Amino acid sequence: DARVTQTPRHKVTEMGQEVTMRCQPILGHNTVFWYRQTMMQGLELLAYFRNRAPLDDSGMPKDRFSAEMPDATLATLKIQPSEPRDSAVYFCASGGPAQATEAFFGQGTRLTVV
Amino acid sequence: EDQVTQSPEALRLQEGESSSLNCSYTVSGLRGLFWYRQDPGKGPEFLFTLYSAGEEKEKERLKATLTKKESFLHITAPKPEDSATYLCAVQPQGGKLIFGQGTELSVKP
């Protein structure tokens, strides 16, 4: 059963702490997206990768957020330092190699910064 | 600027009452338009991909259609289990996936 796996599912942290979220894309998928979802903004694209190379991270606050793909089976999103306004659900999604292909989402990481 | 607008924001239907959800888009070079369903506390679940104007896709009570400016998700004789938020996304040249704000559908028995 191919699926995108995200860890942790829930994270509560104090303001100023570092947060790392992890994503295992579906095997064989070469495109990985990171989204943030809030009630006010909906799904916002933070960054996406193709073949592990970052193609667009313009949606990400560069001073505190960073996204990487150390290898084809792992994508990470890091926030340092975290702030209360970062509280949201963070989704990872992966897609296949075709030019236009559907993306499959993980269950998300619910982040609360207090 | 690439944009996706969904309407209505919320839709309440009686069981069996058919209706349509709208997704209007402006995008530079559409590669694909996608419909997703999202249940509370879960990630979006893929439903359909449409690539060109005139294309239609069906799955159970759902039918998606595409024109050059918009897409419709038609729901025929909905059931309470169809209640969810329905999201539309477009993929322009370059590959990023841009989502609309979604339509929250509630179907009452």
Side-chain angles (χ1 to χ4, degrees):
Chain A
D1 183 24
R3 64 180 70 183
V4 175
T5 304
Q6 289 186 248
T7 56
R9 291 293 311 279
H10 303 273
K11 176 73 177 179
V12 179
T13 192
E14 291 185 348
M15 182 174 62
Q17 296 298 306
E18 178 179 299
V19 175
T20 298
M21 290 168 269
R22 293 177 173 81
C23 168
Q24 183 178 349
I26 292 173
L27 189 64
H29 282 188
N30 69 338
T31 306
V32 173
F33 303 89
W34 280 106
Y35 286 90
R36 175 171 62 187
Q37 188 173 42
T38 61
M39 289 292 291
M40 292 298 295
Q41 300 295 330
L43 272 169
E44 300 174 275
L45 179 65
L46 297 175
Y48 78 106
F49 295 75
R50 180 165 294 135
N51 296 321
R52 295 176 55 200
L55 291 190
D56 188 337
D57 61 0
S58 59
M60 221 162 55
K62 301 287 191 310
D63 57 337
R64 299 185 299 107
F65 284 59
S66 62
E68 296 180 345
M69 278 201 75
D71 60 62
T73 65
L74 177 64
T76 62
L77 180 67
K78 189 175 295 186
I79 308 174
Q80 168 63 13
S82 57
E83 297 181 1
R85 60 179 167 152
D86 300 328
S87 298
V89 181
Y90 291 81
F91 286 105
C92 172
S94 72
Q99 288 286 355
T101 181
E102 57 271 17
F104 294 90
F105 281 74
Q107 294 285 59
T109 294
R110 180 175 293 277
L111 174 66
T112 303
V113 183
V114 297
Chain B
E1 183 185 347
D2 300 323
Q3 267 192 324
V4 182
T5 303
Q6 291 188 245
S7 61
E9 289 185 11
L11 181 62
R12 301 180 77 170
L13 300 174
Q14 288 295 126
E15 184 173 1
E17 180 186 2
S18 301
S19 188
S20 296
L21 282 55
N22 178 264
C23 171
S24 298
Y25 64 90
T26 54
V27 66
S28 53
L30 181 71
R31 287 280 176 89
L33 185 142
F34 307 88
W35 282 98
Y36 287 82
R37 167 191 172 128
Q38 186 174 24
D39 293 295
K42 296 192 174 181
E45 175 189 343
F46 169 74
L47 292 174
F48 301 110
T49 307
L50 300 166
Y51 294 104
S52 56
E55 191 174 358
E56 298 182 353
K57 293 271 179 76
E58 281 188 71
K59 180 180 180 180
E60 296 180 353
R61 294 176 292 282
L62 301 177
K63 179 180 175 180
T65 62
L66 180 64
T67 72
K68 288 186 177 180
K69 294 183 178 180
E70 58 192 350
S71 176
F72 291 94
L73 184 66
H74 307 278
I75 303 176
T76 302
K79 298 182 178 181
E81 53 261 43
D82 295 322
S83 298
T85 295
Y86 290 85
L87 297 163
C88 169
V90 296
Q91 188 171 52
Q93 301 283 348
K96 69 169 77 175
L97 207 55
I98 303 167
F99 279 84
Q101 293 285 75
T103 293
E104 186 177 350
L105 174 66
S106 174
V107 182
K108 299 299 182 185

